[in-house]
Amino acid sequence: MPSLAAFPAHALSRQALRLLGLAMLVAALAGALPMSLFPPQREAAALHPAAAAGFMLFALSLLGRRPAGRSLKIWTGLGLGAALIGAQGLLEALLPGWPQALSGTSLPGMLATGAGFDLPSAYAVLTLNLGLAVKPFSRGAALALLAAAWAGIWWFLMGTVLSAADGRQPVAAFGLVCMLLGGLALGHVLRADPVLHPLFARGRHGLRARGLLGLALAMPWLA
């Protein structure tokens, strides 16, 4: 059996992205199906159809886009469309009186049996899809969106775990899994940037960088 060292680094990278994309696609599909079969009171972990669509478009873009050509333009356009879904969800949640196209009495809202498009999912759909869409045109903007996405994911993760520990609310498992997979995938897409390169480096330097990042992320839990 050939070892990992026998494969080129770029081939392993593409394989990792495919696995992340497939895992995210499965999680989004699994989260969307219960919503059409059970009332939201019985399936608190389920995903709103709009959130599931946004996460699925991100996953499909990971699987289908190519570095250049028509494929890139098509998936960039679809990514921008998915980002608009997230933006609409944010505006519905934050601005009273904003037209409820996703969470109200429209067809998507009726398909969701009354469940709302929650704020963390809308934020993740917006930042992840927009970050992937702008990456070929502005790496700096993509990095800023990656940082924004992970800030929201980490805040939501902390709030979810603490609330679940206190018994105040159930864990939105499918949405959380999709956010984490999407954040990892976008970070992997941008791994060659000098800012992120130390985290993906092999050897002692990479271990040290990942250890420092893990310690920084663990500090709020220790506090």
Side-chain angles (χ1 to χ4, degrees), residues 46-189:
L47 274 174
H48 186 278
F55 288 131
M56 282 189 282
L57 283 172
F58 181 87
L60 290 171
S61 184
L62 285 176
L63 298 171
R65 70 170 44 219
R66 297 293 180 270
R70 184 179 179 185
S71 171
L72 178 62
K73 296 178 181 178
I74 292 173
W75 288 112
T76 298
L78 289 175
L80 292 174
L84 288 177
I85 293 176
Q88 172 66 23
L90 281 177
L91 291 171
E92 290 181 12
L94 297 175
L95 297 181
W98 188 268
Q100 300 289 300
L102 297 174
S103 300
T105 57
S106 62
L107 179 59
M110 288 186 286
L111 288 175
T113 62
F117 188 9
D118 64 281
L119 185 62
S121 294
Y123 181 81
V125 167
L126 172 62
T127 52
L128 291 174
N129 280 284
L130 194 57
L132 191 59
V134 304
K135 183 255 178 184
F137 312 103
S138 174
R139 186 174 290 270
L143 281 171
L145 287 162
L146 173 66
W150 269 110
I153 292 168
W154 192 246
W155 184 268
F156 177 60
L157 175 63
M158 286 193 64
T160 298
V161 172
L162 291 175
S163 296
D166 292 343
R168 286 178 287 175
Q169 67 180 40
V171 176
F174 290 112
L176 187 56
V177 168
C178 287
M179 292 178 201
L180 290 171
L181 290 172
L184 290 173
L186 186 55
H188 195 77
V189 168

